[in-house]
């Protein structure tokens, strides 16, 4: 598995000079709602702060999207929220969305607008899963919930399913498709947005962007420790063959950037289809800037285009 080349560490001044004013404004606005020291607060306080931040940035749902909260009638019930465009009669594909938040914060409301906009733009039905969070539950519980949601959606929808996750949701998405590797039914593809995939702490981006805005190397290590440093991760798997078509969309200014680079390389080395589309000038958590910064808008366009292509069975890369 090839490792990215070593690069120098960025300083705070580098970000101030090299990120565009729109992204810098978004970072300042985020920090006003979610201060950088939030990770030191209690879990309940972190969730309250995160929820307030999500509310402050939440966009209005597109008017043509209908939303319904459901609970699968199965032996593994998981709260779900489904989005469908009212003018789409015949579904072509479905999307399972797994939210970010370090496996600690977030839920059905935190990424509600993102899911609604994916539905509006692709016409696909989108299902968001409210997986169990740490520390009340285990990392294994979260992985089990993601896998159960994927299996249920594959059974229930009857159409190709694209699995999408951002940040820790990308970790769960990759674990779910890995768990189904070799089975007769598979996801049509996976789209992972600035995912944390269990990369080594000495990867270049962990060092170069150790003090990146929005997510630092120390915060990554704290979340890794909470998950369990010996817990299975996508990059810790022995075999990357047989995975569905994969699009990884990391942010350049993110200590997790090279997790995506290494994962993409591992899939391609195993003979699979994968592409890594690094978004220059973007930061972790930058999905919320899609209506405020051109860099984030373009990154969201890249993600939506990937979801649409995989849902239709295309590989335009």
């Amino acid at each position: 598995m090839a490792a990215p080349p070593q690069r120098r560490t960025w300083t705070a001044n580098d970000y101030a000079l090299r990120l565009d004013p729109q992204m810098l404004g978004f970072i300042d606005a985020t920090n006003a709602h979610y201060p950088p020291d939030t990770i030191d607060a209690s879990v309940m306080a972190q969730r309250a702060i995160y929820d307030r931040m999500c509310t402050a940035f939440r966009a209005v749902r597109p008017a043509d999207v209908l939303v319904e909260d459901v609970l699968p009638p199965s032996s593994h019930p998981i709260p779900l929220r489904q989005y469908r465009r009212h003018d789409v009669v015949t579904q072509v594909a479905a999307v399972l969305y797994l939210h970010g938040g370090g496996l600690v914060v977030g839920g059905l409301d935190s990424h509600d607008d993102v899911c609604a906009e994916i539905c509006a733009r692709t016409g696909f039905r989108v299902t968001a899963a409210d997986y169990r969070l740490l520390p009340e539950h285990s990392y294994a519980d979260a992985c089990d919930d993601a896998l159960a949601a994927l299996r249920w959606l594959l059974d229930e929808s009857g159409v190709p399913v694209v699995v999408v996750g951002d940040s820790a949701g990308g970790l769960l998405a990759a674990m779910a498709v890995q768990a189904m590797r070799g089975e007769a039914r598979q996801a049509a593809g996976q789209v992972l947005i600035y995912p944390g995939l269990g990369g080594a702490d000495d990867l270049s981006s962990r060092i170069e962007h150790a003090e990146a805005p929005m997510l630092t190397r120390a915060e990554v290590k704290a979340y890794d420790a909470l998950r369990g440093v010996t817990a299975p991760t996508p990059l810790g798997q022995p075999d990357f063959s047989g995975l569905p078509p994969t699009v990884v969309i990391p942010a350049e200014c993110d200590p997790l950037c090279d997790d995506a680079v290494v994962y993409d390389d591992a899939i391609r080395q195993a003979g699979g289809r994968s592409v890594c589309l690094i978004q220059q000038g973007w930061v972790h958590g930058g999905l919320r800037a899609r209506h405020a910064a051109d860099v984030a808008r373009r990154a969201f366009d890249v993600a939506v285009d990937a979801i649409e292509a995989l849902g239709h069975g295309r590989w335009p890369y």
Side-chain angles (χ1 to χ4, degrees):
M1 197 182 298
Q6 290 294 320
R7 297 172 290 207
R8 70 177 185 84
T9 301
W10 281 38
T11 66
N13 189 54
D14 289 324
Y15 294 112
L17 292 174
R18 295 178 66 173
L19 293 179
D20 71 31
Q22 293 175 329
M23 286 306 304
L24 291 171
F26 165 74
I27 291 165
D28 288 342
T30 301
N31 288 339
H33 292 283
Y34 194 85
D37 62 354
T38 297
I39 196 169
D40 298 324
S42 69
V43 169
M44 295 308 295
Q46 287 184 49
R47 289 176 184 164
I49 294 168
Y50 185 79
D51 289 346
R52 286 196 296 271
M53 184 267 290
C54 293
T55 299
F57 282 94
R58 187 174 301 141
V60 176
R61 289 175 184 161
D64 58 351
V65 173
L66 304 177
V67 182
E68 180 184 16
D69 288 348
V70 299
L71 193 67
S74 69
S75 60
H76 196 130
I78 307 159
L80 304 172
R81 181 170 293 171
Q82 296 194 314
Y83 306 77
R84 64 181 179 86
R85 212 172 69 193
H86 72 79
D87 62 330
V88 176
V89 177
T90 303
Q91 290 292 325
V92 174
V95 174
L96 173 64
Y97 195 96
L98 300 166
H99 69 82
L103 303 176
V104 176
V105 300
L108 294 181
D109 292 333
S110 62
H111 292 66
D112 178 85
D113 52 346
V114 172
C115 292
E117 290 176 29
I118 291 172
C119 172
R121 292 179 56 173
T122 63
F124 301 161
R125 189 179 67 176
V126 176
T127 299
D130 194 16
Y131 59 84
R132 286 172 286 181
L133 298 176
L134 281 62
E136 299 96 321
H137 304 282
S138 70
Y139 169 56
D141 289 334
C143 289
D144 286 348
D145 287 351
L147 178 58
L150 176 56
R151 290 189 188 281
W152 176 82
L153 191 56
L154 283 166
D155 285 341
E156 189 273 343
S157 66
V159 296
V161 174
V162 181
V163 189
V164 183
D166 73 281
S167 192
L171 167 72
L172 295 179
M175 289 298 290
V177 300
Q178 177 74 30
M180 295 191 71
R181 192 172 64 90
E183 296 186 13
R185 58 178 183 170
Q186 295 281 327
Q190 58 176 339
V191 177
L192 312 179
I193 303 167
Y194 41 72
L197 300 171
D201 187 51
D202 61 354
L203 283 175
S204 296
S205 65
R206 302 283 179 107
I207 297 167
E208 178 181 4
H209 295 292
E211 299 299 327
M214 306 292 286
L215 184 69
T216 66
R217 182 187 189 190
E219 289 171 323
V220 172
K221 292 174 74 172
Y223 287 125
D224 286 351
L226 187 61
R227 182 189 71 227
V229 293
T230 61
T233 63
L235 286 177
Q237 302 303 311
D239 189 349
F240 293 86
S241 63
L243 294 177
T246 297
V247 180
V248 279
I249 308 171
E252 175 200 15
C253 302
D254 182 353
L256 295 177
C257 182
D258 284 342
D259 283 37
V261 174
V262 176
Y263 186 64
D264 164 69
D265 181 68
I267 293 174
R268 289 187 291 106
Q269 290 293 330
R273 275 184 172 176
S274 181
V275 64
C276 182
L277 305 172
I278 299 174
Q279 301 301 297
Q280 302 297 318
W282 204 32
V283 296
H284 197 87
L287 277 178
R288 287 189 180 82
R290 67 195 182 282
H291 297 301
D294 292 339
V295 167
R297 176 185 54 77
R298 289 192 293 269
F300 188 55
D301 289 345
V302 169
V304 171
D305 289 347
I307 295 166
E308 188 168 29
L310 294 180
H312 284 285
R314 300 196 305 267
W315 183 255
Y317 304 104

